[in-house]
Structures are given as structure tokens and as C-alpha cells.
């Protein structure tokens, strides 16, 4: 024990400052409980339950047989970057040269590359909150300061351009957000994005990082990329990946389209940390982007059906306040009405307690909103079967009914 204490003090301040990923932590707690023999329903991790579409897997097998087993150029195979270039034009009205595109081992690495390339000590990153867990921690890793600008459920969890403007200082270097949003499922409308772009356009030191990884899981129509607005197009990094829209989480493939000077920096960063992503995976990813998208649309339709089911079931549980998410595969209820209540053994004082109570009393894993900047909320991922969703919410309802 003493040795362990001494050893941990040898860790860098950087890693000691950083929180463990709450999503990954909760998924592990769920696995641990399941290993003890409990039947746990895991709604914690944001991971599609569908298998990768067969034609994409076939393309990877073919690439393996053809010998795509070697190192690749650090920013990605030219074939994949060309496919991404076509995709950006086709889906997003974005024009990138292939040397403005960098492929990484997941969108998480793409975002890390950009933050580490732009942020110095005490630089500020305005993050629209609720936000995805890793954003603030990556900013801290770069010695920067996360500045959280919050919208609650009454605002449909969408931050206004006025709020963004009020948060900007002369140290602000990045504006960072996702739409469709993890954890809320909110989708910023075209006029809302335009208003934010108009604010950023006035501050030439600010780069926008627009995380569009849930682009294909949008229930309200055409996806809009903020980088397509003329006044910010030269200052926007558009992040995307294969994990969600193609159900390829384990393939670890993400990418950016960025101003060339940022793409060059990310290329340099990645060249020292991981090099290029897996060769045969990149071949399959290029194929995925340019082939039939029907499987992605079928997954989106299934998510929409589940969203409606979850909303219907959750709205019957007294004490839950929900809005209607327009994309991704999360619902983000406000559960603050349970704070201060107890089942006789355990008192729920905050969202962390609520998630813990639900894990141990309903055997359902959800993630506390505090990890996403929202202390009154919890996140349910509905990327699982309708049967499991029904069972999970029934159990949650029963556990909540014991809180008095
Ligand atoms: N951004 C958001 C908003 C996410 O939810 C995730 C979840 N994985 C990522 C980025 C990272 O995705 P990837 O699997 O491509 O690293
Ligand atoms: N993005 C997913 C989530 O929010 C996967 C877990 C992670 O990478 O943090 O649950």
C-alpha cells in the first residue's frame, strides 16, 4: 500500500489532474457487476449494438488478402482521404484538398490532435455544455482551461450565440461542440449555427472544432456543418468518424477536414504518437463512404423507433423530466426531483448517487450527468434492443418508486 502511494506520486501532474472517462468507468462497473452473476442491462456506453455492415467487413477481408498489412502514410491512405474529400463535398458542402484531411485512430484521437496542436498553458476553450466527457479532460491535458457554457433542458440543451459571445475572452482559442450532441441528442438548427458562426467570425484567433460524429443519426433532416458558412469556413475543423454511423467502434477510425496549417500540425503530432491508422481498416472505410448507405439509414430508423419507445416509457416514470432528442442515441433526463430522497438505506443527493442507486438497485447502468457538465441529469444510451430497453425502464421505475 505504501509503495503504491509513493509510486503514484511519481505520476505526472498532467495525468493526476485528468479524470477517468466516466462512460468507460461505468461500462466497466457494469461488467464487474455482471461478472458477479447479476443480470445487468448496460445503457452506459455510447456504442451501436449493430454489427458492422457485411459489405464493409468483406472489404476489410479483401484488403487483408491483398496485403494491406503494412504501415500507411501518417495522415491516411490517399484512397481513403479521397473518399473523405468526396464525402465532405457530397454530404456537407465542404471543400477540402486531400492534404487538409487527416485520418486517425478514432475521432477521439482526431480531437486530441487538434487540441494538443492549438492549446498552450491557460488558453481557453469554450465548450458548449452539456458536452461529451472527453472534451474538458483533453483540454486539461493540453494545460488549457475549459470554459463551459451551459444550456439546460428548458433551452433544449442548446447554447445560444449570445451565451457564446459572453464567454469569449482574448484568451479563447477554440470553440468546441457536437451536433447531434452527445449526451443530449440535441441538433443545432441552421439558424442557430449561423448565429454562432457570426459570433466566431468576429474573433479571428478562434478555431471551431465541430464534432459531427453523429451526423448520420439525425432524425430531423439534413445535417448542417458549421464549416460550410463562408465566414468561418477557413477556421473550422470538421471532425467525423466511422464508429457511430457505420457501427465501426472497434475499428478505431476517425478523421478531420481542417485548415492546412492545422492538418499539418496534427500530422506531425500523430507521426510521433501513433502513426497512420490500420491499413486494411482504412481500405474498408473508403469503401464504406462510397458505397450504398442503406444499412446506415436502417440503423438510424431503428434508433428513432427506440427513441420514441424510451421517451414513452420514461415519461411514465414520475420524477423524470425529458425533452425530445433529435439525433444520436441518448436521452438525457433531468432527475433532480429525486435529490434528497431515500429508500431507507441510501440517500440520493446528486446525479452520481442516482446512477449508483440505479446500478445497484435496478441493475441498469447509466451515466451521471456530472461527467457531461449537467449535475441534474443522467444519460441513457438506447443503443440496445427494445426488449432490454423495456426491461431496463421497468426496473428503473420500480427502483425510483422506492425513493421517498
Ligand atoms: N465525439 C463524440 C461526441 C463521441 O460520442 C465519441 C464517442 N465515441 C467520439 C467523439 C469518439 O469516437 P471514436 O470512436 O471515433 O473515437
Ligand atoms: N462516445 C461513447 C460514449 O460517450 C463511447 C465511450 C467513450 O469513448 O467515451 O459513451
Amino acid at each position: 500500500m505504501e509503495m503504491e502511494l509513493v509510486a503514484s506520486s511519481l505520476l505526472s501532474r498532467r495525468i493526476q489532474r485528468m479524470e477517468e472517462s466516466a462512460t468507460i468507468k461505468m461500462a466497466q462497473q457494469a461488467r464487474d457487476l455482471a461478472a458477479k452473476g447479476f443480470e445487468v442491462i448496460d445503457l452506459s456506453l455510447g456504442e451501436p449494438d449493430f454489427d458492422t455492415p457485411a459489405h464493409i467487413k468483406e472489404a476489410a477481408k479483401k484488403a487483408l488478402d491483398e496485403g494491406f498489412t503494412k504501415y500507411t502514410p501518417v495522415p491516411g491512405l490517399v484512397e481513403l482521404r479521397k473518399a473523405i474529400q468526396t464525402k465532405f463535398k457530397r454530404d456537407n458542402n465542404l471543400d477540402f484538398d486531400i492534404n487538409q484531411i487527416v485520418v486517425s485512430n478514432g475521432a477521439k484521437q482526431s480531437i486530441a490532435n487538434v487540441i494538443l496542436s492549438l492549446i498552450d498553458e491557460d488558453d481557453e476553450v469554450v465548450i458548449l455544455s452539456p458536452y461529451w466527457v472527453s472534451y474538458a479532460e483533453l483540454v486539461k491535458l493540453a494545460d488549457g482551461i475549459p470554459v463551459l457554457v451551459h444550456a439546460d433542458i428548458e433551452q433544449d440543451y442548446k447554447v445560444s450565440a449570445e451565451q457564446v459571445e459572453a464567454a469569449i475572452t482574448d484568451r479563447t482559442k477554440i470553440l468546441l461542440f457536437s451536433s447531434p450532441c452527445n449526451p443530449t441528442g440535441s441538433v443545432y438548427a441552421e439558424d442557430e449555427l449561423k448565429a454562432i458562426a457570426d459570433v466566431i467570425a468576429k474573433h479571428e484567433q478562434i478555431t471551431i472544432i465541430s464534432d459531427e460524429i453523429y451526423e448520420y443519426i439525425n432524425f430531423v433532416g439534413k445535417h448542417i456543418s458549421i464549416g460550410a458558412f463562408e465566414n468561418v469556413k477557413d477556421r473550422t475543423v470538421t471532425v467525423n468518424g466511422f464508429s457511430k454511423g457505420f457501427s465501426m467502434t472497434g475499428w478505431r477510425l476517425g478523421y478531420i477536414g481542417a485548415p492546412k496549417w492545422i492538418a499539418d500540425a496534427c500530422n506531425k503530432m500523430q507521426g510521433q504518437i501513433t502513426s497512420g491508422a490500420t491499413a486494411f481498416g482504412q481500405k474498408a472505410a473508403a469503401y464504406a463512404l462510397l458505397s450504398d448507405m442503406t444499412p446506415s439509414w436502417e440503423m438510424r430508423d431503428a434508433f428513432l423507433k427506440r427513441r420514441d419507445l424510451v421517451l414513452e416509457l420514461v415519461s411514465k416514470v414520475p420524477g423524470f423530466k425529458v425533452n425530445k432528442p433529435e439525433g444520436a442515441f441518448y436521452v438525457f433526463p433531468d432527475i433532480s426531483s429525486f435529490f434528497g430522497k431515500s429508500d431507507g438505506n441510501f440517500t440520493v443527493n446528486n446525479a452520481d448517487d442516482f446512477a449508483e442507486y440505479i446500478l445497484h438497485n435496478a441493475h441498469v447502468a447509466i451515466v451521471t450527468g456530472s461527467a457531461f457538465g449537467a449535475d441534474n441529469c443522467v444519460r441513457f444510451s438506447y443503443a440496445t434492443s427494445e426488449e432490454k430497453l423495456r426491461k431496463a425502464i421497468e426496473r428503473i421505475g420500480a427502483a425510483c418508486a422506492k425513493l421517498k
Side-chain angles (χ1 to χ4, degrees):
M1 182 63 192
E2 231 166 64
M3 273 304 288
E4 253 176 51
L5 275 180
V6 174
S8 65
S9 71
L10 297 177
L11 289 170
S12 68
R13 285 192 295 279
R14 184 180 311 115
I15 195 70
Q16 293 192 52
R17 253 196 331 262
M18 197 177 181
E19 300 281 341
E20 186 183 349
S21 164
T23 48
I24 290 174
K25 186 173 163 190
M26 187 45 119
Q28 189 54 46
Q29 271 178 260
R31 282 184 211 115
D32 292 345
L33 203 61
K36 286 186 190 150
F38 294 101
E39 192 229 328
V40 179
I41 302 177
D42 188 2
L43 309 185
S44 67
L45 208 57
E47 172 162 54
D49 54 323
F50 302 105
D51 195 3
T52 303
H55 67 287
I56 304 175
K57 294 204 291 189
E58 284 309 320
K61 289 181 205 166
K62 184 159 169 275
L64 267 174
D65 288 341
E66 286 171 353
F68 282 86
T69 56
K70 305 287 192 205
Y71 286 136
T72 58
V74 173
L77 290 174
V78 170
E79 181 184 340
L80 175 55
R81 282 184 288 153
K82 280 190 174 158
I84 292 169
Q85 180 184 41
T86 303
K87 178 257 177 262
F88 271 141
K89 185 71 199 160
R90 178 192 70 199
D91 298 345
N92 311 104
N93 197 25
L94 295 172
D95 289 296
F96 290 111
D97 197 77
I98 68 161
N99 63 17
Q100 294 179 272
I101 292 168
V102 180
V103 176
S104 301
N105 296 291
K108 194 181 268 187
Q109 186 184 19
S110 302
I111 297 164
N113 281 341
V114 183
I115 291 174
L116 289 167
S117 295
L118 292 181
I119 295 302
D120 277 321
E121 194 172 349
D122 293 341
D123 283 344
E124 293 175 5
V125 176
V126 170
I127 300 177
L128 306 194
S129 168
Y131 60 91
W132 180 46
V133 276
S134 294
Y135 294 164
E137 299 311 313
L138 289 173
V139 172
K140 286 198 246 159
L141 184 66
D143 288 333
I145 302 172
V147 177
L148 307 178
V149 186
H150 192 71
D152 59 23
I153 196 165
E154 276 73 32
Q155 263 175 271
D156 225 4
Y157 298 119
K158 288 196 271 187
V159 176
S160 69
E162 292 72 31
Q163 287 177 281
V164 173
E165 180 134 50
I168 291 173
T169 72
D170 53 10
R171 293 219 57 102
T172 309
K173 297 260 314 258
I174 293 177
L175 170 77
L176 171 55
F177 70 104
S178 63
S179 176
C181 175
N182 177 3
T184 63
S186 293
V187 175
Y188 282 79
E190 184 163 4
D191 59 328
E192 292 162 340
L193 290 174
K194 172 84 174 67
I196 292 173
D198 289 346
V199 167
I200 300 301
K202 291 189 264 176
H203 301 271
E204 60 183 20
Q205 85 281 11
I206 304 180
T207 299
I208 301 174
I209 305 181
S210 174
D211 181 349
E212 303 183 9
I213 194 156
Y214 293 95
E215 169 180 11
Y216 294 144
I217 310 171
N218 176 334
F219 311 135
V220 286
K222 184 156 170 35
H223 176 79
I224 305 291
S225 292
I226 193 166
F229 293 114
E230 198 58 35
N231 57 359
V232 290
K233 78 167 200 249
D234 296 330
R235 286 201 277 127
T236 301
V237 178
T238 304
V239 179
N240 214 318
F242 294 87
S243 287
K244 315 293 172 171
F246 296 100
S247 199
M248 290 170 67
T249 44
W251 295 60
R252 311 308 305 128
L253 283 168
Y255 57 89
I256 55 167
K260 180 154 182 315
W261 60 278
I262 297 179
D264 287 346
C266 293
N267 190 0
K268 185 168 156 192
M269 173 81 59
Q270 191 162 294
Q272 293 291 16
I273 298 182
T274 56
S275 295
T278 313
F280 53 90
Q282 290 190 54
K283 286 282 287 182
Y287 184 69
L289 282 180
L290 301 182
S291 56
D292 181 17
M293 293 282 298
T294 306
S296 297
W297 307 138
E298 284 172 356
M299 290 191 261
R300 176 203 55 198
D301 293 346
F303 286 132
L304 174 58
K305 220 169 137 224
R306 293 172 190 179
R307 178 204 66 179
D308 290 340
L309 174 71
V310 170
L311 285 183
E312 185 200 322
L313 297 174
V314 164
S315 61
K316 288 187 193 139
V317 180
F320 276 66
K321 191 152 88 183
V322 276
N323 71 332
K324 193 171 187 178
E326 297 180 322
F329 37 65
Y330 307 106
V331 289
F332 201 61
D334 181 316
I335 44 79
S336 55
S337 70
F338 294 103
F339 296 174
K341 295 192 174 166
S342 168
D343 69 346
N345 289 313
F346 184 88
T347 305
V348 171
N349 284 318
N350 51 44
D352 296 15
D353 291 345
F354 185 82
E356 195 182 325
Y357 176 76
I358 293 300
L359 179 66
H360 293 288
N361 293 277
H363 298 144
V364 178
I366 55 178
V367 186
T368 173
S370 64
F372 306 97
D375 292 339
N376 289 340
C377 300
V378 287
R379 189 189 78 173
F380 292 50
S381 161
Y382 55 81
T384 193
S385 69
E386 290 184 17
E387 189 197 337
K388 282 191 184 162
L389 290 169
R390 281 182 197 283
K391 209 171 187 181
I393 296 167
E394 196 181 302
R395 287 196 209 162
I396 289 174
C400 287
K402 292 188 196 140
L403 292 172
K404 306 272 183 234

